[in-house]
Amino acid sequence: MTDISNYRPVSCVSSASKVLESIVLAQLSAHFENNSLLPFQQHGFRASRSTTTALTSMIAEWVKNHEAGLHTGVLLWDLSSAFDTIDVDVLCRKLSLYGVNDCSVRWFRSFLTNRQQCVQVGYGTSRPKFVSVGCPQGCLLSPLLFLIYTADIELWLKDVAVHGYADDTSMSVAAVSEEDVVRKLEADAARALRFMASNSLVANPMKTGFLLIRAKGSAQQREVLVGNALIKEESHHRILGIVVNNKLSWDEHVNGGLVQQVNRRVGALKRLSYHIPRKYLPEIASAIVASKVRYGVSVYGSVRITDSDPKPIMYHDLQVALNNAMRIATGNRLSDRVSVSNLSLETNIPTLNRMAAGEKLILVWQSLHDPKSPLRDVLNSVEELGSKTTRARTRGDIQPMAKTSLGHRNFPHSVVCLWNKVDPSLRNIETKCAAKRKIREIINALPL
């Protein structure tokens, strides 16, 4: 909280400006999306994309490499004050190259220049100061302008695959040997730094991470030279709020932080319960506790289809925390012996197993029914894989491709197996609302 670099001014814009920005945003976004001018694997602030699609796209790429017997090296970049360092002249030249007409480019230049900012601490306010670079924080256009500003980074690179969510960017490359992985990462890291220097962007070496997902075990810790900084290999790294380790297992995420975070929220709910009418508590529990569990559960969660399927040990404490939240919301104690099924029904909060199933199923449904989905190519139908008539082909099953244990526990294999086992009528539903209703019906029949 005492680090000044963690703060930046928020623009207080008028309602008229927000209306104008929304109109320009719709037109600019349509131009770039319709002409496929933004990187396919850029998931930030775009329709049909989210942090979940960003994570699953990355994992699908890394799993594919592992299935092919390749090592995968991943560089995780963090840009310092990314939105603040955009060069207006460079941005306007890029807009022209992307086909934006001269009149519109002049409008963007006027919009971004001659802005003033000041700092207020208590009742004291500094003198206004003109800002010559950057996009204003809080403006509707700023996220898209940043995506446009960095859209050509892939043209500077040679071997790596780029996945991004706004300024959170990962670059991964696969090779037969670890030495080749390091060599290719270092070469493209140098190219990425040249891109950033040419565009007035600065990578934060203190927050740059390096993961190595090995096809086979190795005791040697690797290092990657990025500029003048030597980035050491880490066993795990936080990516878009999910802790990802080099074995693509999820113990560090669940037991290394998520359980503690959820328990803190359960404690906050308990304190709130003394001051808020009970009828509001289920909604609050869903908002502050269940939402934390739900985020990323399509990535890290496993699903039991039948009662005979084993219960994942590492999810025990997380489900206990969720049960505690439901008891607080309903005013029940553990000694009351109210079943988890009744608690879930009364609060409308699904158990972890059903929650994971619901999130996975809606992810697959959206991917298959939305032509703009970045996961569409990952989830190939068996209809495209051969001419032989089978029951799986008739049902429209998706072909599972994983052979290794790492592949079996991760996307896409885990969601494909679930999708193929549930009611096939879900596949023919065309509207999202109807699909959600059907998914609720399906998950309510699954084990708690």
Side-chain angles (χ1 to χ4, degrees):
M1 294 180 64
T2 58
D3 187 355
I4 296 177
S5 64
N6 288 333
Y7 297 88
R8 59 171 298 179
V10 176
S11 299
C12 299
V13 296
S14 65
S15 298
S17 176
K18 291 180 180 179
V19 172
L20 178 60
E21 280 188 71
S22 66
I23 296 171
V24 175
L25 176 63
Q27 296 175 347
L28 187 65
S29 178
H31 172 73
F32 275 82
E33 294 291 357
N34 294 339
N35 293 286
S36 302
L37 297 174
L38 295 176
F40 184 72
Q41 290 295 352
Q42 173 55 259
H43 298 256
F45 310 105
R46 300 174 65 189
S48 306
R49 287 166 165 80
S50 64
T51 53
T52 298
T53 61
L55 285 162
T56 48
S57 294
M58 294 180 205
I59 291 168
E61 177 76 20
W62 303 341
V63 168
K64 180 182 177 181
N65 296 338
H66 189 272
E67 292 290 318
L70 303 175
H71 304 287
T72 302
V74 186
L75 269 183
L76 303 159
W77 296 87
D78 186 272
L79 300 181
S80 300
S81 304
F83 283 40
D84 292 335
T85 57
I86 291 178
D87 187 305
V88 177
D89 291 331
V90 173
L91 174 62
C92 288
R93 288 199 295 272
K94 290 189 177 186
L95 288 171
S96 295
L97 291 172
Y98 286 127
V100 179
N101 62 56
D102 292 340
C103 180
S104 298
V105 172
R106 288 196 297 271
W107 184 91
F108 283 107
R109 186 182 295 276
S110 174
F111 175 77
L112 293 172
T113 55
N114 294 322
R115 286 184 172 270
Q116 294 182 338
Q117 70 179 32
C118 59
V119 177
Q120 181 176 346
V121 179
Y123 295 102
T125 304
S126 69
R127 294 178 181 177
K129 184 175 181 179
F130 282 98
V131 180
S132 59
V133 295
C135 289
Q137 172 80 0
C139 287
L140 299 177
L141 280 168
S142 294
L144 179 57
L145 290 178
F146 178 79
L147 299 187
I148 295 169
Y149 191 73
T150 57
D152 58 324
I153 186 172
E154 291 180 336
L155 302 177
W156 293 64
L157 306 175
K158 181 180 179 182
D159 296 311
V160 298
V162 180
H163 294 80
Y165 189 90
D167 59 337
D168 287 313
T169 303
S170 76
M171 297 179 183
S172 62
V173 67
V176 175
S177 70
E178 295 180 19
E179 291 78 9
D180 282 345
V181 168
V182 171
R183 178 180 55 79
K184 291 180 178 180
L185 276 181
E186 289 182 340
D188 268 340
R191 297 183 184 102
L193 290 175
R194 284 197 291 273
F195 167 82
M196 294 175 191
S198 300
N199 290 273
S200 303
L201 298 172
V202 180
N204 187 345
M206 300 301 295
K207 295 184 179 181
T208 301
F210 171 40
L211 287 176
L212 184 56
I213 302 167
R214 293 175 168 85
K216 298 178 181 179
S218 173
Q220 182 178 359
Q221 186 184 43
R222 298 288 179 173
E223 297 175 331
V224 173
L225 185 63
V226 178
N228 296 322
L230 200 59
I231 310 300
K232 294 184 178 182
E233 176 191 351
E234 301 176 57
S235 62
H236 61 275
H237 203 282
R238 183 173 293 275
I239 306 175
L240 298 175
I242 301 291
V243 179
V244 180
N245 66 21
N246 54 13
K247 300 182 186 302
L248 295 187
S249 60
W250 305 103
D251 295 55
E252 280 95 349
H253 175 67
V254 175
N255 297 319
L258 182 59
V259 171
Q260 291 85 344
Q261 293 171 23
V262 171
N263 279 326
R264 283 197 292 269
R265 294 181 178 221
V266 172
L269 178 67
K270 180 67 174 178
R271 293 189 292 272
L272 285 172
S273 67
Y274 297 123
H275 308 285
I276 294 177
R278 181 159 295 156
K279 63 180 180 179
Y280 300 120
L281 289 178
E283 291 185 18
I284 296 174
S286 178
I288 68 174
V289 179
S291 64
K292 185 65 178 178
V293 178
R294 185 176 292 109
Y295 176 66
V297 73
S298 57
V299 177
Y300 71 80
S302 62
V303 177
R304 297 170 61 234
I305 305 295
T306 65
D307 288 316
S308 60
D309 292 337
K311 294 182 178 180
I313 296 175
M314 71 173 179
Y315 302 146
H316 175 267
D317 291 343
L318 199 56
Q319 184 61 60
V320 168
L322 203 58
N323 294 346
N324 290 337
M326 291 191 286
R327 289 190 181 95
I328 293 170
T330 56
N332 290 295
R333 297 181 179 181
L334 184 61
S335 58
D336 294 332
R337 303 284 183 178
V338 178
S339 68
V340 174
S341 178
N342 288 337
L343 291 174
S344 179
L345 187 63
E346 191 172 347
T347 59
N348 201 30
I349 297 175
T351 61
L352 181 56
N353 186 61
R354 293 177 176 180
M355 190 185 295
E359 293 297 309
K360 289 175 184 289
L361 290 174
I362 195 63
L363 178 66
V364 179
W365 184 90
Q366 288 177 322
S367 300
L368 296 179
H369 286 77
D370 187 347
K372 296 182 180 179
S373 172
L375 300 176
R376 194 174 176 85
D377 292 339
V378 177
L379 301 169
N380 292 317
S381 171
V382 293
E383 294 178 359
E384 303 170 359
L385 299 178
S387 58
K388 186 177 180 180
T389 301
T390 63
R391 282 182 294 178
R393 178 185 174 128
T394 303
R395 291 194 305 266
D397 284 0
I398 303 172
Q399 180 66 45
M401 303 298 290
K403 298 177 181 178
T404 66
S405 59
L406 182 147
H408 280 119
R409 65 173 176 262
N410 280 294
F411 184 90
H413 183 88
S414 60
V415 297
V416 165
C417 290
L418 175 64
W419 178 263
N420 290 344
K421 290 178 181 178
V422 300
D423 189 345
S425 64
L426 173 62
R427 305 166 197 188
N428 301 320
I429 296 175
E430 295 298 328
T431 65
K432 189 174 182 179
C433 288
K436 285 186 173 181
R437 286 195 297 270
K438 184 62 179 179
I439 289 172
R440 281 197 295 269
E441 177 186 321
I442 291 171
I443 66 174
N444 286 337
L446 295 177
L448 293 173

Short mmCIF file of all heavy atoms in Angstrom, two decimals, residues 45-91:
data_model
loop_
_atom_site.label_atom_id
_atom_site.label_comp_id
_atom_site.label_asym_id
_atom_site.label_seq_id
_atom_site.Cartn_x
_atom_site.Cartn_y
_atom_site.Cartn_z
N PHE A 45 -11.19 -8.60 -22.80
CA PHE A 45 -12.17 -7.59 -23.19
C PHE A 45 -12.76 -7.85 -24.58
O PHE A 45 -13.00 -6.91 -25.35
CB PHE A 45 -11.55 -6.19 -23.14
CG PHE A 45 -10.83 -5.90 -21.86
CD1 PHE A 45 -9.45 -5.90 -21.79
CD2 PHE A 45 -11.54 -5.66 -20.69
CE1 PHE A 45 -8.78 -5.65 -20.60
CE2 PHE A 45 -10.89 -5.40 -19.50
CZ PHE A 45 -9.50 -5.40 -19.45
N ARG A 46 -13.00 -9.12 -24.91
CA ARG A 46 -13.55 -9.47 -26.21
C ARG A 46 -14.72 -10.44 -26.02
O ARG A 46 -14.72 -11.25 -25.10
CB ARG A 46 -12.49 -10.10 -27.11
CG ARG A 46 -11.31 -9.21 -27.40
CD ARG A 46 -10.24 -9.94 -28.18
NE ARG A 46 -10.69 -10.32 -29.52
CZ ARG A 46 -10.01 -11.12 -30.32
NH1 ARG A 46 -8.85 -11.65 -29.92
NH2 ARG A 46 -10.48 -11.41 -31.52
N ALA A 47 -15.68 -10.36 -26.93
CA ALA A 47 -16.84 -11.25 -26.86
C ALA A 47 -16.39 -12.69 -27.04
O ALA A 47 -15.45 -12.98 -27.79
CB ALA A 47 -17.84 -10.87 -27.95
N SER A 48 -17.07 -13.60 -26.35
CA SER A 48 -16.81 -15.05 -26.41
C SER A 48 -15.49 -15.44 -25.78
O SER A 48 -15.04 -16.57 -25.95
CB SER A 48 -16.85 -15.56 -27.87
OG SER A 48 -18.05 -15.21 -28.50
N ARG A 49 -14.85 -14.51 -25.07
CA ARG A 49 -13.57 -14.81 -24.43
C ARG A 49 -13.58 -14.33 -22.99
O ARG A 49 -14.30 -13.41 -22.63
CB ARG A 49 -12.42 -14.14 -25.20
CG ARG A 49 -12.11 -14.80 -26.53
CD ARG A 49 -11.22 -13.91 -27.38
NE ARG A 49 -10.61 -14.63 -28.49
CZ ARG A 49 -11.21 -14.92 -29.62
NH1 ARG A 49 -12.47 -14.52 -29.80
NH2 ARG A 49 -10.59 -15.57 -30.59
N SER A 50 -12.75 -14.96 -22.17
CA SER A 50 -12.67 -14.62 -20.75
C SER A 50 -11.36 -15.16 -20.21
O SER A 50 -10.57 -15.77 -20.94
CB SER A 50 -13.85 -15.26 -19.99
OG SER A 50 -13.76 -16.68 -20.06
N THR A 51 -11.14 -14.95 -18.91
CA THR A 51 -9.95 -15.54 -18.29
C THR A 51 -10.01 -17.07 -18.34
O THR A 51 -8.98 -17.74 -18.43
CB THR A 51 -9.82 -15.08 -16.83
OG1 THR A 51 -11.04 -15.33 -16.13
CG2 THR A 51 -9.50 -13.59 -16.75
N THR A 52 -11.22 -17.62 -18.29
CA THR A 52 -11.37 -19.07 -18.36
C THR A 52 -10.95 -19.60 -19.72
O THR A 52 -10.23 -20.61 -19.82
CB THR A 52 -12.82 -19.49 -18.07
OG1 THR A 52 -13.16 -19.08 -16.73
CG2 THR A 52 -12.99 -21.00 -18.18
N THR A 53 -11.39 -18.95 -20.81
CA THR A 53 -10.96 -19.40 -22.13
C THR A 53 -9.47 -19.20 -22.33
O THR A 53 -8.81 -19.99 -23.02
CB THR A 53 -11.73 -18.67 -23.25
OG1 THR A 53 -11.47 -17.26 -23.19
CG2 THR A 53 -13.23 -18.92 -23.12
N ALA A 54 -8.92 -18.15 -21.71
CA ALA A 54 -7.47 -17.94 -21.80
C ALA A 54 -6.72 -19.08 -21.13
O ALA A 54 -5.77 -19.65 -21.69
CB ALA A 54 -7.09 -16.60 -21.17
N LEU A 55 -7.15 -19.44 -19.91
CA LEU A 55 -6.49 -20.52 -19.17
C LEU A 55 -6.63 -21.86 -19.88
O LEU A 55 -5.66 -22.61 -20.02
CB LEU A 55 -7.08 -20.61 -17.77
CG LEU A 55 -6.64 -19.53 -16.77
CD1 LEU A 55 -7.60 -19.46 -15.59
CD2 LEU A 55 -5.22 -19.78 -16.30
N THR A 56 -7.84 -22.17 -20.33
CA THR A 56 -8.06 -23.47 -20.97
C THR A 56 -7.33 -23.57 -22.31
O THR A 56 -6.86 -24.65 -22.68
CB THR A 56 -9.57 -23.74 -21.17
OG1 THR A 56 -10.19 -22.59 -21.77
CG2 THR A 56 -10.24 -24.04 -19.85
N SER A 57 -7.22 -22.44 -23.02
CA SER A 57 -6.46 -22.46 -24.28
C SER A 57 -4.99 -22.74 -24.04
O SER A 57 -4.36 -23.53 -24.76
CB SER A 57 -6.62 -21.12 -25.01
OG SER A 57 -7.95 -20.92 -25.43
N MET A 58 -4.43 -22.09 -23.00
CA MET A 58 -3.03 -22.35 -22.64
C MET A 58 -2.82 -23.82 -22.28
O MET A 58 -1.90 -24.49 -22.78
CB MET A 58 -2.62 -21.49 -21.45
CG MET A 58 -2.58 -20.00 -21.68
SD MET A 58 -2.08 -19.17 -20.14
CE MET A 58 -2.81 -17.56 -20.40
N ILE A 59 -3.68 -24.31 -21.39
CA ILE A 59 -3.51 -25.68 -20.90
C ILE A 59 -3.68 -26.69 -22.03
O ILE A 59 -2.94 -27.67 -22.11
CB ILE A 59 -4.51 -25.94 -19.76
CG1 ILE A 59 -4.11 -25.11 -18.53
CG2 ILE A 59 -4.56 -27.42 -19.40
CD1 ILE A 59 -5.15 -25.06 -17.45
N ALA A 60 -4.65 -26.44 -22.92
CA ALA A 60 -4.84 -27.34 -24.06
C ALA A 60 -3.58 -27.39 -24.93
O ALA A 60 -3.19 -28.48 -25.39
CB ALA A 60 -6.04 -26.88 -24.89
N GLU A 61 -2.94 -26.26 -25.12
CA GLU A 61 -1.70 -26.22 -25.92
C GLU A 61 -0.59 -26.99 -25.23
O GLU A 61 0.13 -27.78 -25.85
CB GLU A 61 -1.29 -24.76 -26.11
CG GLU A 61 0.02 -24.56 -26.85
CD GLU A 61 -0.11 -24.77 -28.35
OE1 GLU A 61 -1.24 -24.69 -28.86
OE2 GLU A 61 0.92 -25.01 -28.99
N TRP A 62 -0.44 -26.81 -23.91
CA TRP A 62 0.63 -27.47 -23.18
C TRP A 62 0.39 -28.97 -23.07
O TRP A 62 1.33 -29.77 -23.15
CB TRP A 62 0.77 -26.84 -21.80
CG TRP A 62 1.01 -25.35 -21.87
CD1 TRP A 62 1.47 -24.65 -22.94
CD2 TRP A 62 0.78 -24.39 -20.83
NE1 TRP A 62 1.54 -23.31 -22.64
CE2 TRP A 62 1.13 -23.11 -21.36
CE3 TRP A 62 0.31 -24.47 -19.53
CZ2 TRP A 62 1.02 -21.94 -20.61
CZ3 TRP A 62 0.21 -23.30 -18.78
CH2 TRP A 62 0.56 -22.06 -19.31
N VAL A 63 -0.87 -29.36 -22.89
CA VAL A 63 -1.21 -30.79 -22.84
C VAL A 63 -0.93 -31.45 -24.19
O VAL A 63 -0.40 -32.57 -24.25
CB VAL A 63 -2.69 -30.97 -22.44
CG1 VAL A 63 -3.14 -32.42 -22.67
CG2 VAL A 63 -2.90 -30.60 -20.98
N LYS A 64 -1.27 -30.77 -25.27
CA LYS A 64 -1.01 -31.30 -26.60
C LYS A 64 0.48 -31.56 -26.81
O LYS A 64 0.89 -32.59 -27.36
CB LYS A 64 -1.53 -30.32 -27.65
CG LYS A 64 -1.32 -30.75 -29.08
CD LYS A 64 -1.84 -29.69 -30.05
CE LYS A 64 -1.56 -30.08 -31.49
NZ LYS A 64 -2.04 -29.02 -32.44
N ASN A 65 1.30 -30.62 -26.35
CA ASN A 65 2.76 -30.80 -26.45
C ASN A 65 3.21 -32.01 -25.63
O ASN A 65 4.06 -32.80 -26.07
CB ASN A 65 3.48 -29.54 -25.98
CG ASN A 65 3.20 -28.34 -26.86
OD1 ASN A 65 2.82 -28.48 -28.02
ND2 ASN A 65 3.37 -27.15 -26.31
N HIS A 66 2.67 -32.12 -24.41
CA HIS A 66 3.06 -33.22 -23.54
C HIS A 66 2.66 -34.56 -24.14
O HIS A 66 3.41 -35.54 -24.07
CB HIS A 66 2.41 -33.04 -22.16
CG HIS A 66 2.90 -34.00 -21.13
ND1 HIS A 66 2.32 -35.24 -20.93
CD2 HIS A 66 3.92 -33.91 -20.23
CE1 HIS A 66 2.96 -35.86 -19.96
NE2 HIS A 66 3.93 -35.09 -19.51
N GLU A 67 1.48 -34.62 -24.74
CA GLU A 67 1.03 -35.86 -25.38
C GLU A 67 1.95 -36.25 -26.53
O GLU A 67 2.09 -37.43 -26.84
CB GLU A 67 -0.41 -35.68 -25.89
CG GLU A 67 -1.45 -35.55 -24.81
CD GLU A 67 -1.69 -36.84 -24.06
OE1 GLU A 67 -1.75 -37.91 -24.71
OE2 GLU A 67 -1.79 -36.81 -22.82
N ALA A 68 2.57 -35.25 -27.16
CA ALA A 68 3.49 -35.52 -28.26
C ALA A 68 4.90 -35.83 -27.78
O ALA A 68 5.81 -36.01 -28.60
CB ALA A 68 3.52 -34.32 -29.21
N GLY A 69 5.11 -35.89 -26.46
CA GLY A 69 6.42 -36.21 -25.91
C GLY A 69 7.39 -35.05 -25.92
O GLY A 69 8.61 -35.24 -25.90
N LEU A 70 6.86 -33.82 -25.93
CA LEU A 70 7.71 -32.62 -25.98
C LEU A 70 7.74 -31.90 -24.64
O LEU A 70 6.76 -31.93 -23.88
CB LEU A 70 7.19 -31.66 -27.06
CG LEU A 70 7.07 -32.21 -28.49
CD1 LEU A 70 6.44 -31.18 -29.40
CD2 LEU A 70 8.43 -32.64 -29.02
N HIS A 71 8.86 -31.26 -24.37
CA HIS A 71 8.95 -30.35 -23.23
C HIS A 71 8.37 -28.99 -23.64
O HIS A 71 8.55 -28.56 -24.79
CB HIS A 71 10.41 -30.15 -22.80
CG HIS A 71 11.14 -31.41 -22.47
ND1 HIS A 71 10.91 -32.13 -21.33
CD2 HIS A 71 12.10 -32.10 -23.16
CE1 HIS A 71 11.69 -33.19 -21.30
NE2 HIS A 71 12.42 -33.19 -22.40
N THR A 72 7.71 -28.33 -22.71
CA THR A 72 7.13 -27.02 -23.00
C THR A 72 7.68 -25.99 -22.02
O THR A 72 7.56 -26.15 -20.80
CB THR A 72 5.60 -27.03 -22.90
OG1 THR A 72 5.07 -28.01 -23.81
CG2 THR A 72 5.02 -25.67 -23.23
N GLY A 73 8.28 -24.95 -22.54
CA GLY A 73 8.74 -23.84 -21.71
C GLY A 73 7.77 -22.68 -21.83
O GLY A 73 7.29 -22.35 -22.92
N VAL A 74 7.48 -22.05 -20.71
CA VAL A 74 6.50 -20.96 -20.68
C VAL A 74 7.12 -19.75 -20.00
O VAL A 74 7.59 -19.84 -18.86
CB VAL A 74 5.22 -21.38 -19.92
CG1 VAL A 74 4.17 -20.28 -20.02
CG2 VAL A 74 4.68 -22.70 -20.42
N LEU A 75 7.12 -18.63 -20.70
CA LEU A 75 7.51 -17.34 -20.11
C LEU A 75 6.24 -16.55 -19.82
O LEU A 75 5.39 -16.37 -20.71
CB LEU A 75 8.40 -16.55 -21.07
CG LEU A 75 9.91 -16.75 -20.95
CD1 LEU A 75 10.62 -15.82 -21.93
CD2 LEU A 75 10.42 -16.50 -19.54
N LEU A 76 6.12 -16.07 -18.60
CA LEU A 76 4.95 -15.32 -18.17
C LEU A 76 5.37 -13.88 -17.94
O LEU A 76 6.10 -13.57 -17.01
CB LEU A 76 4.38 -15.94 -16.89
CG LEU A 76 4.01 -17.43 -17.05
CD1 LEU A 76 3.96 -18.12 -15.70
CD2 LEU A 76 2.68 -17.57 -17.76
N TRP A 77 4.90 -13.00 -18.83
CA TRP A 77 5.32 -11.60 -18.81
C TRP A 77 4.37 -10.75 -17.98
O TRP A 77 3.17 -11.02 -17.90
CB TRP A 77 5.34 -11.05 -20.24
CG TRP A 77 6.33 -11.69 -21.15
CD1 TRP A 77 6.13 -12.81 -21.91
CD2 TRP A 77 7.66 -11.26 -21.43
NE1 TRP A 77 7.25 -13.11 -22.63
CE2 TRP A 77 8.20 -12.17 -22.37
CE3 TRP A 77 8.44 -10.19 -20.99
CZ2 TRP A 77 9.50 -12.04 -22.86
CZ3 TRP A 77 9.72 -10.06 -21.49
CH2 TRP A 77 10.24 -10.97 -22.41
N ASP A 78 4.92 -9.72 -17.40
CA ASP A 78 4.13 -8.70 -16.72
C ASP A 78 4.67 -7.34 -17.14
O ASP A 78 5.85 -7.04 -16.92
CB ASP A 78 4.21 -8.86 -15.20
CG ASP A 78 3.27 -7.91 -14.48
OD1 ASP A 78 3.69 -6.77 -14.20
OD2 ASP A 78 2.12 -8.29 -14.21
N LEU A 79 3.81 -6.54 -17.76
CA LEU A 79 4.23 -5.23 -18.23
C LEU A 79 4.04 -4.19 -17.13
O LEU A 79 3.02 -4.18 -16.44
CB LEU A 79 3.44 -4.82 -19.47
CG LEU A 79 3.57 -5.76 -20.68
CD1 LEU A 79 2.75 -5.22 -21.84
CD2 LEU A 79 5.02 -5.92 -21.08
N SER A 80 5.02 -3.31 -16.98
CA SER A 80 4.96 -2.26 -15.97
C SER A 80 4.09 -1.12 -16.47
O SER A 80 4.38 -0.52 -17.51
CB SER A 80 6.37 -1.74 -15.65
OG SER A 80 7.19 -2.77 -15.17
N SER A 81 3.01 -0.83 -15.73
CA SER A 81 2.13 0.30 -16.05
C SER A 81 1.79 0.33 -17.54
O SER A 81 1.99 1.33 -18.23
CB SER A 81 2.80 1.62 -15.64
OG SER A 81 3.15 1.61 -14.28
N ALA A 82 1.28 -0.80 -18.03
CA ALA A 82 1.11 -0.98 -19.47
C ALA A 82 0.24 0.10 -20.10
O ALA A 82 0.61 0.71 -21.11
CB ALA A 82 0.51 -2.36 -19.74
N PHE A 83 -0.93 0.38 -19.51
CA PHE A 83 -1.84 1.35 -20.11
C PHE A 83 -1.26 2.76 -20.04
O PHE A 83 -1.60 3.62 -20.86
CB PHE A 83 -3.19 1.31 -19.39
CG PHE A 83 -4.06 0.15 -19.79
CD1 PHE A 83 -3.52 -1.11 -19.99
CD2 PHE A 83 -5.42 0.30 -19.96
CE1 PHE A 83 -4.30 -2.19 -20.34
CE2 PHE A 83 -6.23 -0.77 -20.31
CZ PHE A 83 -5.67 -2.02 -20.51
N ASP A 84 -0.40 3.00 -19.06
CA ASP A 84 0.15 4.35 -18.87
C ASP A 84 1.24 4.69 -19.87
O ASP A 84 1.61 5.86 -19.99
CB ASP A 84 0.74 4.48 -17.45
CG ASP A 84 -0.33 4.44 -16.38
OD1 ASP A 84 -1.48 4.79 -16.71
OD2 ASP A 84 -0.04 4.04 -15.25
N THR A 85 1.80 3.72 -20.54
CA THR A 85 2.97 3.97 -21.38
C THR A 85 2.67 3.97 -22.87
O THR A 85 3.59 4.03 -23.69
CB THR A 85 4.05 2.91 -21.09
OG1 THR A 85 3.50 1.61 -21.31
CG2 THR A 85 4.54 3.01 -19.65
N ILE A 86 1.39 3.89 -23.24
CA ILE A 86 1.04 3.88 -24.67
C ILE A 86 1.42 5.21 -25.31
O ILE A 86 1.03 6.28 -24.85
CB ILE A 86 -0.47 3.60 -24.85
CG1 ILE A 86 -0.78 2.16 -24.45
CG2 ILE A 86 -0.90 3.88 -26.28
CD1 ILE A 86 -2.24 1.81 -24.54
N ASP A 87 2.18 5.11 -26.40
CA ASP A 87 2.58 6.28 -27.17
C ASP A 87 1.47 6.63 -28.15
O ASP A 87 1.14 5.83 -29.03
CB ASP A 87 3.89 6.00 -27.91
CG ASP A 87 4.47 7.22 -28.58
OD1 ASP A 87 3.76 7.85 -29.38
OD2 ASP A 87 5.65 7.53 -28.33
N VAL A 88 0.89 7.81 -28.01
CA VAL A 88 -0.27 8.19 -28.83
C VAL A 88 0.09 8.23 -30.31
O VAL A 88 -0.69 7.80 -31.17
CB VAL A 88 -0.83 9.55 -28.35
CG1 VAL A 88 -1.99 9.99 -29.25
CG2 VAL A 88 -1.30 9.45 -26.91
N ASP A 89 1.28 8.75 -30.64
CA ASP A 89 1.68 8.82 -32.05
C ASP A 89 1.79 7.42 -32.67
O ASP A 89 1.33 7.18 -33.79
CB ASP A 89 3.02 9.55 -32.19
CG ASP A 89 2.90 11.03 -31.86
OD1 ASP A 89 1.81 11.59 -32.09
OD2 ASP A 89 3.89 11.62 -31.38
N VAL A 90 2.41 6.50 -31.93
CA VAL A 90 2.55 5.12 -32.43
C VAL A 90 1.17 4.48 -32.59
O VAL A 90 0.89 3.80 -33.59
CB VAL A 90 3.43 4.29 -31.48
CG1 VAL A 90 3.45 2.83 -31.90
CG2 VAL A 90 4.85 4.85 -31.44
N LEU A 91 0.30 4.69 -31.61
CA LEU A 91 -1.05 4.12 -31.68
C LEU A 91 -1.80 4.64 -32.90
O LEU A 91 -2.44 3.86 -33.62
CB LEU A 91 -1.82 4.45 -30.40
CG LEU A 91 -3.30 4.03 -30.38
CD1 LEU A 91 -3.44 2.52 -30.51
CD2 LEU A 91 -3.99 4.53 -29.11
#
